Amino acid sequence: MREDYGLTQDQIDIQMMTREFIRKELPWERIKECDEKNETPMDVVKKCAEMGLTSITLPESIGGGGMGQVTNSLVLEEIGYQDIGFATVIGACGLAYEPIALFGTQEQKEMFGKYIVDGGLAAFALTEADAGSDVSNNRTTAVLDGDEWVINGTKTFITNGGNASVYSVFAVTDPNAGTRGMSCFIVERDRAGVSIGSEEDKMGIRLSNTTEVLFDNVRIPAGHLVGKEGQGFKIAMSVFDITRPAGVGAASCGSMKSCIDKCLEYAAVRQTFGQPILTNQAIQFMIADMEIKYEAARALTYKVAGMIDNGVIDSALASAAKTFASDSAVECAIDAIQIYGGNGYSKEYPIEIILRNAKIGQLFEGTNQVQRMVIVKSLLKASGMM
Ligand SMILES: Cc1cc2nc3c(=O)[nH]c(=O)nc-3n(C[C@H](O)[C@H](O)[C@H](O)COP(=O)(O)OP(=O)(O)OC[C@H]3O[C@@H](n4cnc5c(N)ncnc54)[C@H](O)[C@@H]3O)c2cc1C
C-alpha cells in the first residue's frame, strides 16, 4: 500500500499481520487440496476467528475489532491475494452482520455478534432460485403468529450456508407490496425447521461452502425482525453499498496483486530462445497493464471504503469499485495464464485457480450488469432525466 492512502500505523500492522498469517496458514498446497475436495479449511477459519478477522468490523463493545471498512478491505485484500474463496468465507461474516449493524437494535447486535465473536460463521440469505438479480421476486415468507414470526422457504447459493451458526434472512411479509414487502430477520441455525439443502459443486471459490438453506415453519421471536417490517429491500441494498467495494472489490484487488507477483517471478525464470521470457516487451507490457488495473481498482476501492468510514454512502461509486475491480481481476488472471503458457492452464500451477476464483466477483452481490444499471440510474437521476 502506498503512502498516499493515509493508513494509520494500526491499519498497516493489521495488514502485515494478515499477510504473514494467511500466507503461512493457507499455502498453495493446502489451497489446492481444499479446492479439489470443495472444502472449507475450518482449522484456518478458527484461527482467523481467534485473531479477530471474522469480527473485525463488529463494535468493540460486543467483542469485535471496532474497525472500519478501510481496515476490513486491507484484511480481505490480503486474504484474497491468497484465495478469493477463503476471503469470501471470512467476508461473509461481515456481510451477514451488516444488516444488524445498520438497522438492528443494541440487543440484536449483541445477540448476532456473539456468534461471530465466539468463533462461529454467519451467512447472508437473500437469493432464491427465481430471485437473484430480481430480488423482488423472493418467495420465502414470514408470517406473524402471536409474538413469533413463522418462516417458510428455500434460499439458494448461500455462502457459509452449511457452516454458519446464524443467518440474516430476507423474507416476504407483504406479497402485495413489491420491494416494500420484504423484511429482514435473524435466524439461528439451531432453530427447529432450519436445514441445509444441497451443496454447490462450483467452478471456483471452492474453499467457500455454498448451499441451499431451507426454512420449514421456523418460529423465531418477534424481536428477531431487523429494522422495520417492509424495510428488507432497503436493508439489503444498503448492505451492498458497503460490501461491494469493501468485500468483493478488495478481494479482487488481492487477486490482481497475486497475478503480478507470480508473473514477475515466473517470467524471470522461464526461458525461451535462451532468454527469460521477462526480457520480452510483450510480456512486460502485459504485466504493466496488470499493474495499471490493480492500482486503479485499488484507488477506487479504498476511496469508497474511506468514504464509508466517513459516513458518506454513494451506491453508484460502490458499484463502480466492485465492477472495475472484479472485471480487472478476471482480465489479469487471463493474462497471467497467458504468461505462464501451457503451465498456466495446468492444475499443477497456482494460476488457473485464480481465474476460476476471480470470475465470482462479476456475479455475486449483484452481477456486473446489475452494477451498471445502478450506475446509469444514478447518472440519469443526477441529470434530471429520471
Ligand atoms: C458462489 C456464489 C456465492 C453466493 N453467495 C451468496 C450469498 O451468500 N447470499 C446470497 O443471498 N446470494 C449469494 N449468491 C447469489 C448471487 O448474488 C446471485 O447468483 C447473483 O445476484 C445473480 O443472480 P442469478 O444467479 O439468479 O442470475 P440471474 O438474475 O438469473 O441473471 C442471469 C444473467 O442475466 C443478467 N441479467 C438479469 N437481469 C438483467 C437486466 N435487467 N439487464 C441486464 N442483464 C440482466 C445477469 O447480469 C446475468 O448475466 C451467490 C452466488 C454464487 C454463485
Side-chain angles (χ1 to χ4, degrees):
M1 182 67 59
R2 304 250 162 99
E3 292 285 324
D4 54 354
Y5 281 84
L7 298 178
T8 62
Q9 191 55 49
D10 267 2
Q11 288 172 323
I12 294 168
D13 290 347
I14 290 171
Q15 179 190 30
M16 292 308 159
M17 177 193 74
T18 309
R19 181 176 299 177
E20 199 181 317
F21 164 79
I22 201 70
R23 292 185 193 187
K24 177 169 167 273
E25 295 294 334
L26 205 55
W28 153 240
E29 296 74 22
R30 184 78 198 279
I31 293 170
K32 187 173 188 299
E33 182 195 326
C34 291
D35 178 73
E36 278 163 11
K37 291 183 183 163
N38 202 22
E39 183 180 274
T40 302
M42 292 304 286
D43 55 322
V44 188
V45 169
K46 186 168 176 278
K47 287 182 182 167
C48 283
E50 283 163 5
M51 284 172 71
L53 298 182
T54 51
S55 57
I56 194 146
T57 59
L58 273 59
E60 277 182 287
S61 58
I62 63 167
M67 299 290 169
Q69 295 303 330
V70 168
T71 313
N72 192 31
S73 297
L74 290 167
V75 166
L76 294 176
E77 182 181 347
E78 290 303 327
I79 301 178
Y81 178 99
Q82 211 61 0
D83 186 81
I84 289 185
F86 195 70
T88 303
V89 174
I90 302 304
C93 291
L95 169 70
Y97 178 76
E98 208 54 47
I100 294 95
L102 295 175
F103 291 84
T105 61
Q106 181 59 26
E107 197 184 328
Q108 289 174 337
K109 286 176 191 167
E110 284 168 19
M111 187 257 281
F112 196 102
K114 189 165 172 20
Y115 283 98
I116 303 174
V117 170
D118 287 352
L121 287 174
F124 177 90
L126 173 65
T127 302
E128 297 179 10
D130 290 319
S133 302
D134 185 5
V135 170
S136 63
N137 204 34
N138 248 279
R139 292 286 178 258
T140 296
T141 55
V143 177
L144 195 58
D145 179 24
D147 56 2
E148 289 181 326
W149 289 97
V150 184
I151 303 192
N152 278 289
T154 300
K155 297 291 177 181
T156 54
F157 282 124
I158 305 308
T159 298
N160 292 343
N163 293 330
S165 313
V166 66
Y167 305 89
S168 43
V169 179
F170 294 82
V172 176
T173 41
D174 181 352
N176 301 314
T179 51
R180 294 192 179 175
M182 192 163 71
S183 305
C184 178
F185 300 90
I186 297 170
V187 182
E188 301 91 335
R189 170 70 181 89
D190 56 9
R191 291 265 166 203
V194 178
S195 62
I196 310 305
S198 58
E199 182 181 346
E200 295 295 333
D201 187 7
K202 307 187 295 294
M203 163 188 175
I205 63 162
R206 290 167 63 83
L207 272 66
S208 73
N209 164 268
T210 316
T211 68
E212 286 181 321
V213 182
L214 283 64
F215 302 93
D216 181 14
N217 281 317
V218 176
R219 303 185 82 87
I220 52 168
H224 279 29
L225 170 72
V226 180
K228 296 195 181 99
E229 198 178 325
Q231 272 190 327
F233 183 79
K234 184 181 169 188
I235 293 175
M237 296 307 123
S238 305
V239 168
F240 289 150
D241 285 343
I242 294 170
T243 56
R244 281 171 179 164
V248 185
S252 300
C253 287
S255 154
M256 279 184 256
K257 179 67 175 157
S258 176
C259 287
I260 295 165
D261 288 353
K262 287 183 172 63
C263 284
L264 280 172
E265 204 176 299
Y266 183 83
V269 172
R270 176 72 179 171
Q271 302 231 346
T272 62
F273 307 101
Q275 302 269 6
I277 58 169
L278 190 55
T279 56
N280 299 302
Q281 211 174 46
I283 300 289
Q284 292 173 3
F285 279 12
M286 273 199 275
I287 297 176
D289 282 342
M290 285 184 201
E291 172 69 5
I292 293 166
K293 287 171 190 165
Y294 168 59
E295 287 295 347
R298 191 198 220 183
L300 193 49
T301 297
Y302 283 91
K303 174 191 165 85
V304 183
M307 284 167 62
I308 296 166
D309 287 348
N310 289 323
V312 181
I313 298 298
D314 185 325
S315 304
L317 217 47
S319 289
K322 184 258 192 196
T323 302
F324 186 73
S326 57
D327 283 353
S328 300
V330 170
E331 289 163 14
C332 286
I334 288 172
D335 280 353
I337 292 179
Q338 199 65 22
I339 289 172
Y340 268 66
N343 286 338
Y345 205 66
S346 164
K347 289 203 174 196
E348 289 308 306
Y349 286 80
I351 291 295
E352 58 82 38
I353 189 175
I354 297 180
L355 176 60
R356 289 191 281 114
N357 284 346
K359 181 64 195 167
I360 192 59
Q362 296 180 309
L363 297 170
F364 63 9
E365 298 204 18
T367 66
N368 284 1
Q369 283 77 31
V370 167
Q371 309 307 318
R372 288 176 168 94
M373 285 157 63
V374 172
I375 293 164
V376 169
K377 195 170 159 193
S378 142
L379 288 174
L380 293 176
K381 266 192 182 164
S383 62
M385 292 165 76
M386 195 176 166

